[in-house]
Amino acid sequence: MSIQSVVSSSQSREELRQRLLQPDVITGSEILLRTLLLEGVECVFGYPGGAVLYIYDAMHGNPDFKHLLTRHEQGAIHAADGYARSSGKVGVCIATSGPGATNLVTGIATAYMDSVPLVCITGNVATSLIGTDAFQEADIIGITMPITKHSYLVRDVKDLARIIREAFHIANTGRKGPVLIDIPKDVSNQKTTFIYPETIELPTYKPTVYPNKMQVDKLLAAIEEAERPVILAGGGIVYADASKELMEFVTKTRIPVTTTLLGLSGFPSAHELSMGMPGMHGTKTANYALQNADLLISIGARFDDRVTMKLDGFAPHAKIAHIDVDPAEIGKNVKTAIPVVGDVKEVLKLANLKARPAKSEAWIQRIAEMKAQYPLRYKDAEDQLKPQYVIEMISETTNGEAFITTDVGQHQMWVAQYYKFRNPRSLITSGGLGTMGFGFPSAIGVQMAHPDKLVISINGDGGMQMCSQELAICAINNIPVKIVVINNQVLGMVRQWQELIYDSRYSHIDLAGSPDFVKLAEAYGVKGLRATTKEEARAVWQEALNTPGPVLVEFVVPKFENVFPMVPQGNTLDEMIMGDSEP
Amino acid sequence: MRHVISILVNDQPGVLQRVAGLFGRRGFNIESITVGTSEEPGLSRMVIVTRGDEKTMEQIQKQLYKLIDVAKVVDLSQNPMVARELALIKVGAEPSERPEVFGIVETFRASVVDVAANTLIVQVVGDSDKIDAMVELLKPYGIKELTRTGVTAMTRGTLRK
């Protein structure tokens, strides 16, 4: 399959649509494929097995349906996740019953924590066998109930088209999230007349989109009074495609912005009022601003513990305003004076009509001084290849415009600190669940959604080994992801905690015995490159960028580098260890 | 503080599991739970007795509303309400003791719904305190088996939210 052929022209799409809508008598499997195509799905990530054989049989010879065979169901769901996060469309993955379905669990939880719209399709044993401990039977609905936005067991083929349509609607509206559809094997082979429901009727599901005007007015009044206001912008900005509205809001109100990990790409890192990320590995400036603010406006963020650190003592002087599409987030962790429920794009649009500046010029001045005094920095050395240097180099050579996926750990924090993001949706990272093994397969999904864009997957040597099998699908489908492995030969973040908090008692963090990553790539038919010095790093990175097709680049870096600044757990945001970033 | 929450839900398989699971994983407590049909076709009503401060109750309501199958959540205990529970109590009662037990039953406006050689089944309806009191009084005769439905409730009058 050529990756370019995934996106068909709009004219052929309309023709396809008319063909698909025909009320033919077809099997559940054919209904599934037709409905997915009608929902605009361009590519599905999956892995076949016994309970989905009819579904895969229906794919056979179907020229309209694009399916990417991964090498593990976890790879499939992370790819679907990357596809969804980078495009705003629903990501779709398919797995068989039992172990196929349970292999999706980590990916479902990852998407749930970060509010990513996915539709996960699992086969199940035939209806007559459900509950009998049949071969490859697992109660995947029960298993995933706490980590899905909703789930369906399809008992009758007549419900299938409606259920799929509802699932897409639920996944990608309100606070987004994964929806699971479990299809017993017999249902996928039952026939019925295909009727694609025109409308979706979900009387018990009505997310609030448009905010209460009075609440927005209250917010605007508070802004005009505020002398030390701060905006905390989260993933909601990115997911609601509200970056433009945020920029207008910031420009009009003159409020400095700190962006959470998931919000990083939602506001340009280089902007005069950007303070970078707050929290455990945030900037001194962002944390200072939060601790000294008199008004804190959270927009599409959820006061995660990695952001607030010790809650008792978080933003002690601030009146809190909280804009969120999910009312349950408001008041969950911090007491909120001005709640605004609604889609953040709609809230900001409305606010922008009347937004006036805060009394913030002296505060902005103070923030600028802080930024100048405490920039993010590390101890660079000419004779060493520092991981932060690698990230800075990647940022500079791509002008902050590539799609970046990360895994979890030190490299993830260095990406958050040193990559200068410019475009919304350009950072794909597992924030809430912190899923190792996410970084590489998610990049495959990003590349499928953006065939012509530069996609770079940045991983540690630990996480790379959790899903490295997907190198096969990069090779065979010529998916041109640039795979970076920052290899420090240890589980770096765990090592850092053991050093700082457990008196350097290093317990099971040594990754000796890892493969030669260059050879590993080559074994799959992917080009592999390695750098151990700065000079080599610049050269091989340029070579990687100039190489069409997938490339894996290993940067061998020192073991004992730490992510600074750091707020140790149990401390408030102003109790930071500056470490190497000390001026 | 004790709260009685009424939840209107889609009559779908798995809804009880969704609601109970939500309470479990978010650390909300369930003192009792009852489920049955409601006045609206296709919707069931659950009544849950729980304990929590104002913040917890707010979270319970909001988290419940996030479940796709939940139509309406009302904290009945915010308003005057009628809350009732039914208990069946199997009491050891030799023929000689029966009059005493019947006396207690009458005082509580309960009823005896089964009489066997040396046991009686007493059915009592009322608020939870009344049932607790009745159980205490019947204990000396030997309670062989006890089953309670949990509280079901509704607000008084035509008060509508």
Side-chain angles (χ1 to χ4, degrees):
Chain A
M1 180 182 62
S2 144
I3 165 165
Q4 265 74 19
S5 69
V6 165
V7 185
S8 47
S9 74
S10 58
Q11 196 192 350
S12 62
R13 269 222 188 122
E14 189 47 40
E15 280 170 32
L16 176 65
R17 193 180 155 78
Q18 289 313 318
R19 185 151 48 83
L20 295 171
L21 282 170
Q22 294 304 310
D24 306 319
V25 176
I26 52 176
T27 65
S29 299
E30 286 162 330
I31 289 173
L32 171 68
L33 301 196
R34 278 204 197 186
T35 316
L36 291 179
L37 287 167
L38 285 165
E39 291 296 334
V41 173
E42 296 165 329
C43 179
V44 164
F45 306 87
Y47 204 101
V52 287
L53 276 168
Y54 288 116
I55 296 172
Y56 276 81
D57 190 44
M59 285 181 207
H60 185 77
N62 184 331
D64 305 318
F65 197 81
K66 302 285 187 287
H67 173 278
L68 196 66
L69 171 67
T70 56
R71 293 297 180 271
H72 192 299
E73 288 88 353
Q74 189 175 354
I77 189 165
H78 290 333
D81 186 314
Y83 175 93
R85 290 190 205 225
S86 66
S87 69
K89 295 177 202 162
V90 176
V92 181
C93 60
I94 302 183
T96 192
S97 64
T102 55
N103 275 344
L104 295 180
V105 169
T106 300
I108 295 173
T110 305
Y112 185 71
M113 284 290 263
D114 287 350
S115 311
V116 178
L118 294 187
V119 168
C120 308
I121 292 155
T122 51
N124 205 336
V125 299
T127 320
S128 58
L129 291 173
I130 287 180
T132 66
D133 304 317
F135 177 64
Q136 292 195 330
E137 183 186 2
D139 172 17
I140 196 61
I141 298 260
I143 291 168
T144 59
M145 210 167 260
I147 51 169
T148 48
K149 186 170 173 188
H150 197 49
S151 50
Y152 293 93
L153 172 62
V154 187
R155 288 159 202 274
D156 186 335
V157 71
K158 291 190 186 70
D159 298 330
L160 185 57
R162 172 185 59 81
I163 285 174
I164 297 167
R165 206 143 150 59
E166 285 179 9
F168 273 78
H169 177 70
I170 291 169
N172 211 14
T173 52
R175 179 170 182 178
K176 298 163 188 193
V179 178
L180 184 130
I181 306 175
D182 198 24
I183 308 176
K185 189 170 183 177
D186 52 329
V187 173
S188 68
N189 194 37
Q190 281 162 8
K191 284 192 173 181
T192 191
T193 308
F194 179 59
I195 300 162
Y196 183 67
E198 281 303 311
T199 53
I200 296 160
E201 280 170 49
L202 284 166
T204 60
Y205 175 68
K206 297 261 181 284
T208 306
V209 176
Y210 298 100
N212 180 315
K213 285 191 177 123
M214 270 164 55
Q215 291 303 103
V216 174
D217 287 344
K218 252 191 226 171
L219 170 66
L220 293 175
I223 290 172
E224 284 183 48
E225 291 301 307
E227 292 178 0
R228 300 184 311 280
V230 172
I231 289 172
L232 174 66
I237 292 288
V238 176
Y239 297 152
D241 291 316
S243 295
K244 225 181 71 201
E245 287 75 11
L246 175 64
M247 182 59 86
E248 186 183 338
F249 185 68
V250 170
T251 310
K252 284 185 168 162
T253 56
R254 299 289 292 157
I255 303 178
V257 182
T258 175
T259 36
T260 68
L261 181 60
L262 292 187
L264 270 178
S265 68
F267 192 76
S269 311
H271 191 276
E272 163 218 4
L273 292 176
S274 167
M275 300 183 289
M277 189 171 73
M280 182 176 272
H281 293 297
T283 65
K284 176 122 177 161
T285 309
N287 287 351
Y288 166 85
L290 287 170
Q291 291 306 88
N292 291 282
D294 63 353
L295 175 66
L296 169 54
I297 308 166
S298 167
I299 312 180
R302 60 185 176 88
F303 295 105
D304 174 72
D305 56 278
R306 286 295 193 267
V307 166
T308 64
M309 300 311 294
K310 192 177 161 195
L311 256 183
D312 184 17
F314 168 72
H317 313 294
K319 179 187 237 187
I320 301 214
H322 193 168
I323 305 170
D324 208 296
V325 73
D326 179 1
E329 284 305 337
I330 292 168
K332 187 182 81 178
N333 294 340
V334 298
K335 216 167 166 224
T336 305
I338 309 172
V340 186
V341 178
D343 181 285
V344 299
K345 189 185 183 89
E346 296 303 328
V347 176
L348 289 175
K349 266 191 194 166
L350 187 65
N352 283 338
L353 295 177
K354 291 195 272 181
R356 302 244 304 266
K359 298 174 179 148
S360 58
E361 288 313 313
W363 174 240
I364 290 173
Q365 189 56 42
R366 177 79 193 109
I367 298 289
E369 286 164 22
M370 289 289 290
K371 277 169 75 171
Q373 197 181 351
Y374 299 103
L376 286 163
R377 70 185 110 197
Y378 59 96
K379 284 213 168 68
D380 202 7
E382 254 339 284
D383 58 341
Q384 275 188 315
L385 179 58
K386 289 286 181 91
Q388 301 93 326
Y389 176 86
V390 174
I391 307 298
E392 281 189 321
M393 178 188 75
I394 295 172
S395 182
E396 281 158 22
T397 50
T398 58
N399 199 23
E401 289 184 332
F403 280 99
I404 304 289
T405 75
T406 82
D407 213 75
V408 170
Q410 287 186 316
H411 73 276
Q412 179 188 34
M413 291 299 105
W414 285 319
V415 167
Q417 292 179 335
Y418 292 102
Y419 195 91
K420 302 288 172 227
F421 291 95
R422 287 166 173 267
N423 303 319
R425 297 192 181 277
S426 61
L427 173 61
I428 281 77
T429 190
S430 167
L433 198 69
T435 305
M436 282 177 73
F438 174 85
F440 170 43
S442 62
I444 293 166
V446 176
Q447 190 80 75
M448 295 306 282
H450 305 275
D452 305 320
K453 294 281 167 61
L454 176 59
V455 179
I456 301 167
S457 169
I458 303 177
N459 306 272
D461 47 325
M464 186 65 208
Q465 291 181 70
M466 285 201 181
C467 271
S468 62
Q469 74 283 348
E470 307 305 343
L471 281 163
I473 65 171
C474 280
I476 199 144
N477 299 296
N478 195 31
I479 297 170
V481 174
K482 308 302 174 218
I483 308 148
V484 171
V485 180
I486 309 274
N487 186 354
N488 59 359
Q489 304 102 55
V490 286
L491 291 170
M493 191 58 95
V494 181
R495 193 209 55 73
Q496 173 169 345
W497 279 57
Q498 290 179 348
E499 177 193 328
L500 299 177
I501 298 157
Y502 296 86
D503 297 330
S504 298
R505 291 188 299 277
Y506 294 130
S507 180
H508 297 277
I509 43 102
D510 192 341
L511 289 180
S514 295
D516 177 326
F517 287 100
V518 172
K519 280 189 184 161
L520 180 71
E522 284 167 353
Y524 282 100
V526 169
K527 182 170 182 169
L529 298 166
R530 177 182 292 116
T532 54
T533 66
K534 282 181 162 180
E535 202 182 352
E536 282 172 7
R538 286 189 294 268
V540 297
W541 180 240
Q542 210 48 58
E543 187 183 347
L545 290 177
N546 293 339
T547 306
V551 186
L552 182 148
V553 192
E554 178 190 8
F555 295 99
V556 181
V557 300
K559 250 184 208 183
F560 292 95
E561 198 64 27
N562 286 334
V563 181
F564 288 123
M566 178 181 184
V567 180
Q569 215 154 20
N571 287 21
T572 52
L573 285 177
D574 35 23
E575 299 167 305
M576 302 190 86
I577 304 173
M578 294 306 283
D580 293 345
S581 60
E582 198 71 61
Chain B
M1 199 190 143
R2 191 165 177 264
H3 291 261
V4 182
I5 307 167
S6 161
I7 312 163
L8 209 54
V9 297
N10 283 331
D11 183 10
Q12 288 281 334
V15 172
L16 176 61
Q17 193 185 351
R18 287 182 202 281
V19 171
L22 174 83
F23 271 73
R25 76 175 167 276
R26 298 237 176 229
F28 306 142
N29 134 295
I30 296 182
E31 222 162 79
S32 80
I33 183 165
T34 67
V35 196
T37 52
S38 75
E39 70 282 2
E40 301 215 29
L43 293 180
S44 300
R45 180 167 276 115
M46 294 184 184
V47 174
I48 294 182
V49 180
T50 183
R51 276 175 197 280
D53 56 18
E54 205 179 314
K55 192 187 163 204
T56 308
M57 294 316 297
E58 188 185 320
Q59 266 298 304
I60 288 178
Q61 283 215 358
K62 285 173 165 179
Q63 293 294 346
L64 281 169
Y65 270 120
K66 285 178 73 170
L67 297 178
I68 308 294
D69 283 325
V70 168
K72 197 167 171 59
V73 184
V74 180
D75 186 347
L76 297 173
S77 31
Q78 302 283 20
N79 294 297
M81 62 164 182
V82 178
R84 291 291 181 267
E85 200 181 340
L86 181 146
L88 294 176
I89 309 160
K90 191 178 281 175
V91 198
E94 297 301 327
S96 60
E97 293 170 321
R98 281 185 195 161
E100 281 180 44
V101 174
F102 276 93
I104 295 169
V105 166
E106 210 159 297
T107 323
F108 277 82
R109 291 195 205 163
S111 50
V112 172
V113 291
D114 180 68
V115 182
N118 41 22
T119 59
L120 295 174
I121 298 180
V122 175
Q123 170 190 296
V124 55
V125 176
D127 59 26
S128 303
D129 290 347
K130 173 176 164 181
I131 292 170
D132 291 346
M134 176 118 198
V135 170
E136 277 309 307
L137 283 175
L138 290 176
K139 261 185 190 165
Y141 303 95
I143 292 176
K144 309 284 182 206
E145 216 177 318
L146 169 67
T147 178
R148 296 171 72 149
T149 57
V151 172
T152 192
M154 59 173 64
T155 47
R156 291 179 186 273
T158 50
L159 190 96
R160 290 221 134 202
K161 257 197 166 175

